[in-house]
Amino acid sequence: LDDDVPGRVAEAERRAVAAEEAAREAADRAGRAEEAAEARVREATEASKPTAQAPEHYDDLAAEEVIALLPSLSPADLQMLLDYERRHAKRAGVIQAIESVLARGETPV
């Protein structure tokens, strides 16, 4: 048995080094996973921030009235209204009209 002690010590040291390396790799993976999770939280927080408000009395306009105004709006205003409409009124006809104007790239008159 005494002759095998140096071999067992060497094997224990190899295992300890391997375990330490595995622990470092696991800690690195955990750190990367934490960073990715934090990034997802930041993205979700940004996405949930309120967007610009629609013009005053916008909600009082009928869908046809909104659609008639779309060609006079800038692309940024159209995008803001599209976001607002999707989050609030959800009028399919208005959403389609805004998307159509944006897709055609019409400029304000």
Side-chain angles (χ1 to χ4, degrees), residues 40-104:
R40 286 192 299 274
V41 167
R42 281 191 302 275
E43 290 170 7
T45 301
E46 281 297 314
S48 68
K49 283 186 180 177
T51 56
Q53 293 296 316
E56 194 173 328
H57 304 293
Y58 174 81
D59 292 327
D60 297 334
L61 297 175
E64 296 79 18
E65 293 172 305
V66 174
I67 292 169
L69 295 173
L70 296 180
S72 67
L73 300 176
S74 71
D77 288 338
L78 287 167
Q79 188 62 54
M80 185 270 308
L81 284 180
L82 180 60
D83 294 342
Y84 182 85
E85 196 65 43
R86 285 180 175 156
R87 290 177 186 247
H88 297 90
K90 300 178 182 171
R91 296 178 284 190
V94 173
I95 292 171
Q96 271 186 309
I98 296 171
E99 289 172 340
S100 177
V101 172
L102 283 170
R104 288 192 307 263

Side-chain angles (χ1 to χ4, degrees), residues 2-37:
D2 290 340
D3 293 339
D4 197 27
V5 170
R8 283 195 258 161
V9 169
E11 179 61 25
E13 287 176 351
R14 281 192 293 273
R15 286 183 181 181
V17 168
E20 185 179 357
E21 185 176 325
R24 279 194 194 110
E25 290 172 1
D28 288 345
R29 284 193 306 274
R32 288 191 301 272
E34 182 179 10
E35 288 172 3

